[in-house]
C-alpha cells in the first residue's frame, strides 16, 4: 500500500500566518496616514514657493497646512532659499508610530519644492 503524503498548513501554522498578516495590516494602517500627510506637505511647499519673501512663503504654507490638516510641520520649520530667480522651499521632519511597548517605527520625511 502506498500512502499519499498530505501537504498543507496545520491549524497552528494557519494561526501564526494569520497573526503575522494581522500585525502587518495594523502597522501599515498606522503608516499610511503619515505618508498621506507627507504628500500634503509636499503640495503645500509647492504652493508656498510662489511667495516672494520668507514671511509670505511661511504664511502661504500655514494656510495650506490648515486646509489639509498638516500637524507635523509648520511654516516656521521650513527652510526658504533661492536658486537663481526662483524660491525653493525645503523641509524635513520625522514621525514616530507606536507599535507596542517600547517599540516605535520612525518615519523620516524630507523634500523640497520643484
Amino acid at each position: 500500500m502506498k500512502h499519499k503524503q498530505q501537504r498543507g498548513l496545520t491549524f497552528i501554522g494557519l494561526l501564526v500566518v494569520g497573526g503575522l498578516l494581522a500585525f502587518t495590516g495594523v502597522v501599515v494602517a498606522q503608516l499610511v496616514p503619515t505618508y498621506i500627510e507627507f504628500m500634503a506637505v509636499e503640495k503645500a511647499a509647492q504652493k508656498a514657493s510662489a511667495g516672494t519673501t520668507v514671511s509670505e512663503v511661511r504664511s502661504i504654507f500655514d494656510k495650506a497646512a490648515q486646509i489639509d490638516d498638516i500637524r507635523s510641520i509648520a511654516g516656521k520649520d521650513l527652510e526658504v532659499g533661492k536658486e537663481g530667480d526662483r524660491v525653493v522651499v525645503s523641509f524635513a521632519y520625522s514621525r514616530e508610530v507606536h507599535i507596542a511597548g517600547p517599540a516605535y517605527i520612525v518615519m523620516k520625511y524630507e523634500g523640497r519644492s520643484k
Side-chain angles (χ1 to χ4, degrees):
M1 273 194 198
K2 275 189 172 180
H3 293 284
K4 288 185 179 179
Q5 188 163 350
Q6 292 183 351
R7 290 188 276 177
L9 206 56
T10 65
F11 181 68
I12 300 297
L14 182 64
L15 288 177
V16 168
V17 169
L20 287 173
L21 286 174
F23 176 76
T24 303
V26 168
V27 170
V28 167
Q30 290 178 336
L31 294 178
V32 166
T34 67
Y35 184 72
I36 291 171
E37 184 180 45
F38 168 69
M39 299 301 287
V41 169
E42 276 191 325
K43 188 173 90 174
Q46 189 62 37
K47 282 181 190 176
S49 67
T52 54
T53 64
V54 174
S55 61
E56 184 182 5
V57 167
R58 291 182 174 162
S59 175
I60 293 170
F61 182 87
D62 286 335
K63 288 176 186 173
Q66 254 184 338
I67 293 169
D68 290 334
D69 196 29
I70 297 170
R71 298 180 185 176
S72 297
I73 190 169
K76 64 181 171 49
D77 301 321
L78 300 176
E79 290 183 29
V80 182
K82 278 202 167 225
E83 284 183 6
D85 61 343
R86 26 173 243 158
V87 175
V88 177
V89 179
S90 303
F91 61 90
Y93 66 97
S94 62
R95 289 282 308 264
E96 291 181 351
V97 176
H98 182 253
I99 301 302
Y104 287 83
I105 293 179
V106 178
M107 302 292 292
K108 292 185 178 186
Y109 294 110
E110 61 182 52
R112 57 184 274 163
S113 62
K114 295 179 174 113

